[in-house]
Structures are given as structure tokens and as C-alpha cells.
Amino acid sequence: MNKYSKLALGLSIALLAAGCSDDSGSDNVAVLPQPEQPQEQQPLALPQSQLESSWFKVGQQAVARAQAQTINNTPGAAKNIILFIGDGMGISTVTAARILAGQQQGLDGEEYQLSFEKMPFAGLVKTYNTNQQTPDSAGTATAIMTGVKTKAGVINVDETVPRGDCAASKQRPLTTVLELAEGQGKSTGIISTARVTHATPAATYAKVPDRDWEYKVTDGDCTDIAAQLVALNAGDGIDVIMGGGRRNFLPSSETDAEGAAGKREDGRNLVDEWLDRYNDGVTNAVYIEDQTGFNALDVAGTDKLLGLFNPSHMHYEADRGNDTAGEPSLSEMTAKGLELLSKNDKGYFLMVEGGRIDHGHHAGSAYNALTDAVELAEAVQVAMDKTSAEDTLIIVTADHSHVMTIAGYPTRGNPILGKVITNDGSGQPEETPALAADGLPYTTLGYTTGRGHADYGETADADERYGHEIDTGRKDLTNVDTTAPGYHQEALIPTSAETHGGEDVGVWARGPGAHWVTGTNEQSYLFHVMARAGGLLD
Ligand SMILES: [Zn+2]
């Protein structure tokens, strides 16, 4: 209440009192003293301690930065577009990854900012598919890449196409942002820690009615996803391809460098076909499949790059050292990819997917999900460092969320993977973990669905969980180190794998057109931001 409303209240109380005490109240009202005319209003002085608070100053500086932010409203000003997708990187994953990254640097963690959280613009994205409240990655990636929301399970065909219907899919193809960029003579790239034929990377180039058609189709005369990648007819084809999924390019009769058999039943070796297609005497195409080949790559002399580093998905970042042949990290691939793509004066479109954040969650391992999310943030930092906000739009988002929650009232700086330890009100952490109503300690992070609790010690491959029985419900964690790489959080509802979550995801942006990333939008909106910022539909 300010001083004028106090005055007004005082006046009405005076009027009321006057009315009660005297019948000829109007006379009394007439003689009441008039309120002083308001003086020139003085700003309320803040206490010195408030002005000197670090929280106060940080907020002040942030507003000043926001005010100084320049906006480039010119369509086409984004010569380069880099789209980062953290597969399954919902809001709770971003928060927990931020805390983990901060704690890895010796901070409390909550105050830390991941690379993309320093970007000037952000918004929310509605992720549902046309036929599902909680989406899958094929439908969501299609929305981002084409501007058209569609069903779960289909890639770059619209919602009228029944899943798995080859003939119908051929009638309703959708063109992608990558194809548009190719059509303008830009260079293009896709980088993922998942198989390059997996739903999200596939949605940059393939059109199929079933995301599972990675190396063979089960209906009609459609072409599988790997074969579409090699045959892509847009511009001069994708320039940089790095990720996993080697088995989908090799015939079942062949064994690869890491001892795994190919999956293809048509006898084709798509790696050889790709090399034949792009080593045409004009361009120099290079295939690599391990860390040694990656390190030895001659960027200046390479026009097209195909890097397939694992038979299936690449390793989780925390488990990468255990790869047989050695493989680069997501941030290393991003750096190399940008060096190759930036050779084109017309610019480029690059999609980078942290594909295994999703897989860590599905296996019920917050450890793997979060360490892969932190690595995605590292890859974004590489892109922010290697490009200019003057001509490069960077968008960071997730395709969908997961059912991981951040629960209880852990004290500030409590290990994010640890058991909940509260504080005594003065901020002093209690000596022992808080106990739930069942008398047992509990972790801050937990899952609603999934295979449930397991403790594999130092094992940093979350997929170990699938080799053991589902075990949901409460466990006695008193003597369990829940921060160990091999710890899998408790889950409430037993499902064969932990499930996606249906709430909105975040989107962050920097560069020309980044200010259009604001508010709450349908996921398909992101295509239009990229298309307009990049002048791709002109
Ligand atoms: Zn998933």
C-alpha cells in the first residue's frame, strides 16, 4: 500500500465515522480537511543491503544486457543455421544437467548456466504429435524439419499417411529445411550420437511411413532410410554426415572394423556406393570410421565426409572411452563439421543431435542422460565460439521430454544424483538423508515409468539395464552410492523402458531471427523461424 491509498483509506474511515455520529453528516463532510495534493513522486529508496545483494546486481546486469540486445529483423540474414536437438532433453533434464555441470566445476550448481542458457532468446514448444498427446521422435523431428506436425512413427510424410503404408507415403512427402538449404547451394551436415538413420537425423533427409525402415522396408517398393541418404537428390547431397549406424549401410555378409555384421539383406554396400557417387573426379569424398581416421582428416582436401563410428548408436559420452575402435565426442564432431561446412561462401545448414540423452532416460539412468546433455551443451559452446551472431542462427531445443522429476527439498548444492538431504533452516545440511514416510531415504531424481532401480557400480553404459529384470518400487538405498555411473533411479510404474513425457520443451536461440523464438508455439513453428531467418523459401 502506498501513501496515497493509505490517505484514501483514512478519509473513508473518517467519512464513515462522521456518518455514524451525526445525522447532518453532509455538513461534517464539508469541513473535513482536503487531502494534500500529491507532491512530485519520489522514487522509493531501496535499502543499501538490497542494492548490494549479488542477486540484485546479477538481475540488473541481465536486464541491461537484454536492453542492449540488437535485433536483426531482416529475413535471410542468417547465412548459416545450426540446429541442436537434445533428444529427450526436457526442462527437468536441462535443470539437472545445469546443476551437474556446475557441481563438476566445484560450484553449488543451481546458479550455473549451460552454454545455450546464455543465449538472449528462449521460448516454449508444444511437442504433441497429431495422433499422440505424448510424442515420439519421428513425428516431432518432422515438425521441426518441415513445418508440418504429423503422426508418431512417420518421417516427413503428413498425418494422412497410415504408419507403414508405402503407397500413401509417396503421395504426401514433405520437403525439409536441409533440402531447401541444399537447393540454395548451401552446404549441409548432420551429426548425431545416434545412428544417422535414426528418427531425428533421418528427418533431415528421408521420407518414410515407418521410422523402423532404417535398412529394409516391409511394405511396397519404398526405399529404406540408409539407401535414401546415399541417393538423396537435393543440391549436391549432404556434405557432412557423422554418427553411428554403420550396420545399416553394410550387407549382412560383411563384418565391420569393430566385428559387427551388416544388417542389409539386399547385398548392397552403401558406403562403397556413397564413395563411388561423390568421388566423381571433381569432389573428394572421404569415409572414416574411427578416432584415428577422424584425427587424420584433411579438412581442406575433403568435400564430402561420411563418418560412421559405430555399428549401432555411438557410445554414451561417459562410456566413450570403452569404444573398440575409438570415436570422437559430439563436441569434437561439431567442431570438425563446422570447419568443413564453413568452406562454402553461401553458408550452411547443420543439424547436431545429442541422440543418447533420450536413451539414458529410457534405460532409467539419469547419470547417462545428464552427462550426455552436458556434452550437448559443450557442442553448442563450440558452435557459439566458432561462429558469429551477425550471420549465424543457432537454435537449441529438444524434440520431447521424459518423465524424470527433481523431487523433495534437497539443500542447496546437494549432489544432483544424490539422496535428498535437507537443511535445518539456517542452511546447515542435516547429517543424514531425509527419510520418506516409509522410513527410507530417496533420491532427488526419479522416474514415473521404467525398468526401475538397479546398481551397476562403475558401469557407464545405461543399456546394461535391459539385460536385467524390471524392478520398480521402493528400495533401501541407505548403503547405495546413487551418484555412481551405474546407478539407475527408482521408478513407480513398470514399463519395458522409461517413457517420454508430454509437457512442453524449451527452445533457445542466438543470431539473426533468434528473437522470433519467443512465447509458446507449436513445434512446427521452428521450421518457419529457420526458413525465414535463412531466406530458404525466397
Ligand atoms: Zn525416446
Side-chain angles (χ1 to χ4, degrees), residues 461-473:
D461 179 1
D463 298 355
E464 173 72 19
R465 187 70 192 83
Y466 296 105
H468 304 266
E469 292 301 307
I470 291 175
D471 187 12
T472 47

Side-chain angles (χ1 to χ4, degrees), residues 176-189:
T176 72
V177 59
L178 179 143
E179 292 174 300
L180 290 173
E182 274 294 335
Q184 290 200 348
K186 291 181 187 290
S187 288
T188 57

Side-chain angles (χ1 to χ4, degrees), residues 131-207:
N131 65 337
Q132 283 186 196
Q133 199 166 56
T134 295
D136 96 318
S137 292
T140 54
T142 297
I144 297 170
M145 304 303 176
T146 71
V148 177
K149 249 183 209 256
T150 192
K151 286 192 171 93
V154 306
I155 293 173
N156 295 334
V157 297
D158 74 18
E159 64 184 291
T160 65
V161 177
R163 183 167 179 171
D165 186 332
C166 173
S169 72
K170 288 182 171 181
Q171 301 301 313
R172 313 288 288 192
L174 302 166
T175 296
T176 72
V177 59
L178 179 143
E179 292 174 300
L180 290 173
E182 274 294 335
Q184 290 200 348
K186 291 181 187 290
S187 288
T188 57
I190 57 172
I191 293 172
S192 177
T193 47
R195 298 188 293 268
V196 297
T197 49
H198 206 240
T200 306
T204 62
Y205 61 86
K207 302 166 208 309

